[in-house]
Amino acid sequence: MNYWLVKSDPETYDWSHFVQDQRTFWDGVRNFQARNNLRAMKEDELVLFYHSNQDPGVVGLARIAREAYQDPTTEDPQWVVVDLAVEGAFPRPVTLKAIKAEPRLVNIGLIKQSRLSVMPVTREEFDLIVGMGHGE
DNA sequence: GCCAACGTTGGC
DNA sequence: GCCAACGTTGGC
């Protein structure tokens, strides 16, 4: 079981839009490392949904509903998407500021590799952020 | 709007 | 294969 984090610019696709859809394909990834992470995702694994740019932070949880397949928005066979389904909103968003302030999260990919849009997180990081999202 | 980080492209 | 130039992302 692996755990993941995906970023979305809320101007393009925010959490409320995702809740309306309930399920979406995660398109637009054009970076090899992010693509490789998409390919490594397995059905039913859990994903932290992160808003970048304005009020950056983790706002909710998603679940992999379908593993990687050809990105329907391009003919180029090297790019893939996965399907994500809504798992649940966080009662309290976990801001980037809060993540940076948490000593147990100093090594999280989000901070170490700030430009990567799809990345794995460890079980410990995942549990901690979910806990913070519920006010712990 | 600025700038740092960093991935990609292309010349050699 | 190296590296400079360039483009993009994302935090502030």
Short mmCIF file of all heavy atoms in Angstrom, two decimals, chain A residues 1 3 12 15 17 22-23 25 32 37 42 61 64 71-72 76 79 89 91 94 98-103 112 124:
data_model
loop_
_atom_site.label_atom_id
_atom_site.label_comp_id
_atom_site.label_asym_id
_atom_site.label_seq_id
_atom_site.Cartn_x
_atom_site.Cartn_y
_atom_site.Cartn_z
N MET A 1 0.85 -1.21 0.00
CA MET A 1 0.00 0.00 0.00
C MET A 1 0.87 1.24 0.00
O MET A 1 1.69 1.42 0.88
CB MET A 1 -0.89 -0.01 1.26
CG MET A 1 -1.89 1.12 1.33
SD MET A 1 -3.32 0.83 0.26
CE MET A 1 -4.31 2.26 0.66
N TYR A 3 1.09 5.62 -0.55
CA TYR A 3 0.32 6.83 -0.33
C TYR A 3 0.89 7.93 -1.22
O TYR A 3 2.10 7.96 -1.48
CB TYR A 3 0.40 7.24 1.16
CG TYR A 3 -0.22 6.18 2.04
CD1 TYR A 3 0.56 5.12 2.53
CD2 TYR A 3 -1.57 6.23 2.37
CE1 TYR A 3 -0.01 4.14 3.32
CE2 TYR A 3 -2.14 5.25 3.16
CZ TYR A 3 -1.36 4.21 3.63
OH TYR A 3 -1.93 3.23 4.41
N THR A 12 -7.60 26.18 -11.88
CA THR A 12 -7.87 25.24 -12.96
C THR A 12 -8.88 24.18 -12.52
O THR A 12 -9.84 23.89 -13.22
CB THR A 12 -6.57 24.55 -13.40
OG1 THR A 12 -5.61 25.56 -13.67
CG2 THR A 12 -6.79 23.71 -14.64
N TRP A 15 -10.94 21.70 -5.26
CA TRP A 15 -11.58 20.60 -4.52
C TRP A 15 -13.10 20.60 -4.72
O TRP A 15 -13.71 19.54 -4.89
CB TRP A 15 -11.22 20.71 -3.04
CG TRP A 15 -11.94 19.72 -2.21
CD1 TRP A 15 -13.08 19.91 -1.49
CD2 TRP A 15 -11.62 18.32 -2.06
NE1 TRP A 15 -13.48 18.73 -0.90
CE2 TRP A 15 -12.60 17.75 -1.22
CE3 TRP A 15 -10.59 17.51 -2.56
CZ2 TRP A 15 -12.58 16.40 -0.86
CZ3 TRP A 15 -10.58 16.16 -2.19
CH2 TRP A 15 -11.56 15.62 -1.35
N HIS A 17 -14.83 21.58 -7.21
CA HIS A 17 -15.10 21.04 -8.54
C HIS A 17 -15.02 19.51 -8.52
O HIS A 17 -15.87 18.81 -9.09
CB HIS A 17 -14.08 21.64 -9.52
CG HIS A 17 -14.47 21.51 -10.96
ND1 HIS A 17 -13.96 22.32 -11.94
CD2 HIS A 17 -15.31 20.65 -11.59
CE1 HIS A 17 -14.48 21.96 -13.11
NE2 HIS A 17 -15.29 20.96 -12.92
N GLN A 22 -17.22 14.09 -8.31
CA GLN A 22 -17.07 12.84 -7.54
C GLN A 22 -15.96 11.93 -8.08
O GLN A 22 -15.33 11.20 -7.33
CB GLN A 22 -18.38 12.05 -7.45
CG GLN A 22 -19.34 12.63 -6.41
CD GLN A 22 -18.79 12.60 -5.00
OE1 GLN A 22 -18.40 11.55 -4.49
NE2 GLN A 22 -18.73 13.78 -4.35
N ARG A 23 -15.75 11.99 -9.38
CA ARG A 23 -14.70 11.17 -9.99
C ARG A 23 -14.18 11.92 -11.20
O ARG A 23 -14.96 12.51 -11.94
CB ARG A 23 -15.28 9.82 -10.38
CG ARG A 23 -14.30 8.94 -11.12
CD ARG A 23 -14.84 7.53 -11.24
NE ARG A 23 -13.98 6.76 -12.13
CZ ARG A 23 -13.86 5.45 -12.08
NH1 ARG A 23 -14.57 4.74 -11.23
NH2 ARG A 23 -13.05 4.81 -12.91
N PHE A 25 -10.59 12.15 -14.24
CA PHE A 25 -9.28 11.64 -14.64
C PHE A 25 -8.27 12.75 -14.49
O PHE A 25 -8.55 13.92 -14.75
CB PHE A 25 -9.28 11.01 -16.04
CG PHE A 25 -9.72 11.90 -17.17
CD1 PHE A 25 -8.82 12.73 -17.82
CD2 PHE A 25 -11.05 11.87 -17.60
CE1 PHE A 25 -9.22 13.55 -18.88
CE2 PHE A 25 -11.45 12.68 -18.65
CZ PHE A 25 -10.55 13.53 -19.28
N PHE A 32 8.24 13.55 -16.53
CA PHE A 32 8.49 12.11 -16.50
C PHE A 32 8.41 11.53 -15.10
O PHE A 32 7.88 10.45 -14.90
CB PHE A 32 9.85 11.80 -17.13
CG PHE A 32 9.89 12.10 -18.59
CD1 PHE A 32 10.64 13.16 -19.08
CD2 PHE A 32 9.14 11.35 -19.48
CE1 PHE A 32 10.66 13.46 -20.44
CE2 PHE A 32 9.15 11.63 -20.85
CZ PHE A 32 9.92 12.69 -21.33
N ASN A 37 5.21 8.25 -11.33
CA ASN A 37 4.43 8.10 -10.10
C ASN A 37 2.99 7.72 -10.40
O ASN A 37 2.42 6.87 -9.72
CB ASN A 37 4.50 9.38 -9.27
CG ASN A 37 5.89 9.59 -8.67
OD1 ASN A 37 6.61 8.63 -8.40
ND2 ASN A 37 6.27 10.84 -8.47
N LYS A 42 -1.82 2.23 -7.52
CA LYS A 42 -2.67 1.04 -7.58
C LYS A 42 -4.08 1.40 -7.12
O LYS A 42 -4.26 2.28 -6.26
CB LYS A 42 -2.12 -0.06 -6.65
CG LYS A 42 -0.73 -0.53 -7.02
CD LYS A 42 -0.72 -1.25 -8.36
CE LYS A 42 0.69 -1.66 -8.73
NZ LYS A 42 0.84 -1.81 -10.21
N LEU A 61 -9.03 14.21 0.70
CA LEU A 61 -8.51 12.89 0.37
C LEU A 61 -9.23 12.34 -0.86
O LEU A 61 -10.45 12.47 -0.99
CB LEU A 61 -8.80 11.92 1.52
CG LEU A 61 -7.68 11.50 2.45
CD1 LEU A 61 -8.19 10.37 3.33
CD2 LEU A 61 -6.46 11.06 1.68
N ILE A 64 -7.63 6.16 -5.59
CA ILE A 64 -7.41 5.76 -6.99
C ILE A 64 -8.57 4.86 -7.41
O ILE A 64 -8.75 3.78 -6.84
CB ILE A 64 -6.08 4.96 -7.15
CG1 ILE A 64 -4.89 5.67 -6.52
CG2 ILE A 64 -5.83 4.66 -8.63
CD1 ILE A 64 -4.47 6.93 -7.19
N ASP A 71 -3.54 8.96 -21.65
CA ASP A 71 -4.16 10.28 -21.44
C ASP A 71 -5.07 10.61 -22.62
O ASP A 71 -4.60 10.75 -23.75
CB ASP A 71 -3.04 11.33 -21.32
CG ASP A 71 -3.59 12.72 -20.97
OD1 ASP A 71 -4.76 13.00 -21.27
OD2 ASP A 71 -2.81 13.51 -20.41
N PRO A 72 -6.38 10.70 -22.39
CA PRO A 72 -7.31 10.93 -23.51
C PRO A 72 -7.18 12.33 -24.13
O PRO A 72 -7.74 12.58 -25.19
CB PRO A 72 -8.69 10.75 -22.87
CG PRO A 72 -8.49 11.01 -21.41
CD PRO A 72 -7.07 10.61 -21.10
N ASP A 76 -0.15 11.41 -27.80
CA ASP A 76 1.20 10.96 -27.44
C ASP A 76 1.12 9.82 -26.42
O ASP A 76 0.65 10.02 -25.30
CB ASP A 76 1.97 12.16 -26.86
CG ASP A 76 3.44 11.86 -26.69
OD1 ASP A 76 3.80 10.66 -26.59
OD2 ASP A 76 4.23 12.81 -26.65
N TRP A 79 2.09 9.61 -22.31
CA TRP A 79 1.44 10.26 -21.17
C TRP A 79 0.19 9.51 -20.73
O TRP A 79 -0.56 9.00 -21.57
CB TRP A 79 1.09 11.71 -21.51
CG TRP A 79 2.28 12.51 -21.93
CD1 TRP A 79 2.47 13.11 -23.14
CD2 TRP A 79 3.47 12.78 -21.17
NE1 TRP A 79 3.69 13.74 -23.17
CE2 TRP A 79 4.32 13.55 -21.98
CE3 TRP A 79 3.89 12.43 -19.89
CZ2 TRP A 79 5.59 13.98 -21.54
CZ3 TRP A 79 5.13 12.85 -19.45
CH2 TRP A 79 5.97 13.61 -20.27
N ALA A 89 -13.47 15.38 2.36
CA ALA A 89 -12.81 16.65 2.64
C ALA A 89 -12.22 16.62 4.04
O ALA A 89 -12.72 15.91 4.92
CB ALA A 89 -13.80 17.80 2.52
N PRO A 91 -11.84 18.29 7.59
CA PRO A 91 -12.53 19.31 8.39
C PRO A 91 -11.73 20.61 8.45
O PRO A 91 -12.29 21.70 8.41
CB PRO A 91 -12.64 18.67 9.77
CG PRO A 91 -12.57 17.20 9.52
CD PRO A 91 -11.68 17.03 8.32
N VAL A 94 -4.89 21.44 5.74
CA VAL A 94 -3.54 21.45 6.32
C VAL A 94 -2.70 22.35 5.43
O VAL A 94 -2.32 21.98 4.32
CB VAL A 94 -2.96 20.03 6.38
CG1 VAL A 94 -1.57 20.06 6.99
CG2 VAL A 94 -3.89 19.12 7.19
N ALA A 98 1.68 25.03 7.86
CA ALA A 98 1.61 24.06 8.96
C ALA A 98 2.51 22.86 8.68
O ALA A 98 3.15 22.32 9.58
CB ALA A 98 0.16 23.60 9.16
N ILE A 99 2.58 22.45 7.41
CA ILE A 99 3.44 21.33 7.04
C ILE A 99 4.91 21.70 7.28
O ILE A 99 5.68 20.93 7.84
CB ILE A 99 3.19 20.93 5.57
CG1 ILE A 99 1.80 20.27 5.46
CG2 ILE A 99 4.28 19.99 5.07
CD1 ILE A 99 1.32 20.07 4.04
N LYS A 100 5.27 22.92 6.87
CA LYS A 100 6.65 23.37 7.06
C LYS A 100 7.00 23.53 8.54
O LYS A 100 8.17 23.42 8.92
CB LYS A 100 6.87 24.69 6.34
CG LYS A 100 7.01 24.54 4.85
CD LYS A 100 7.35 25.88 4.20
CE LYS A 100 7.78 25.69 2.76
NZ LYS A 100 7.91 26.99 2.06
N ALA A 101 5.98 23.79 9.35
CA ALA A 101 6.23 24.02 10.77
C ALA A 101 6.30 22.71 11.55
O ALA A 101 6.67 22.71 12.73
CB ALA A 101 5.12 24.91 11.35
N GLU A 102 5.96 21.59 10.91
CA GLU A 102 5.93 20.31 11.60
C GLU A 102 7.28 19.59 11.43
O GLU A 102 7.62 19.19 10.32
CB GLU A 102 4.77 19.47 11.04
CG GLU A 102 4.77 18.03 11.46
CD GLU A 102 4.85 17.82 12.96
OE1 GLU A 102 3.98 18.31 13.68
OE2 GLU A 102 5.83 17.18 13.41
N PRO A 103 8.02 19.43 12.50
CA PRO A 103 9.37 18.85 12.37
C PRO A 103 9.38 17.44 11.77
O PRO A 103 10.34 17.07 11.10
CB PRO A 103 9.89 18.80 13.81
CG PRO A 103 8.93 19.56 14.65
CD PRO A 103 7.68 19.81 13.87
N LYS A 112 10.83 19.12 -0.30
CA LYS A 112 12.12 18.80 -0.90
C LYS A 112 12.12 19.01 -2.41
O LYS A 112 13.12 19.39 -2.99
CB LYS A 112 12.47 17.33 -0.60
CG LYS A 112 12.82 17.08 0.84
CD LYS A 112 14.31 17.17 1.03
CE LYS A 112 14.64 17.25 2.52
NZ LYS A 112 16.08 17.26 2.73
N GLU A 124 3.88 7.39 7.35
CA GLU A 124 3.96 8.27 8.52
C GLU A 124 3.52 9.69 8.16
O GLU A 124 2.76 10.32 8.90
CB GLU A 124 5.38 8.30 9.09
CG GLU A 124 5.82 7.00 9.77
CD GLU A 124 6.09 5.85 8.80
OE1 GLU A 124 6.37 6.11 7.60
OE2 GLU A 124 5.98 4.68 9.22
#
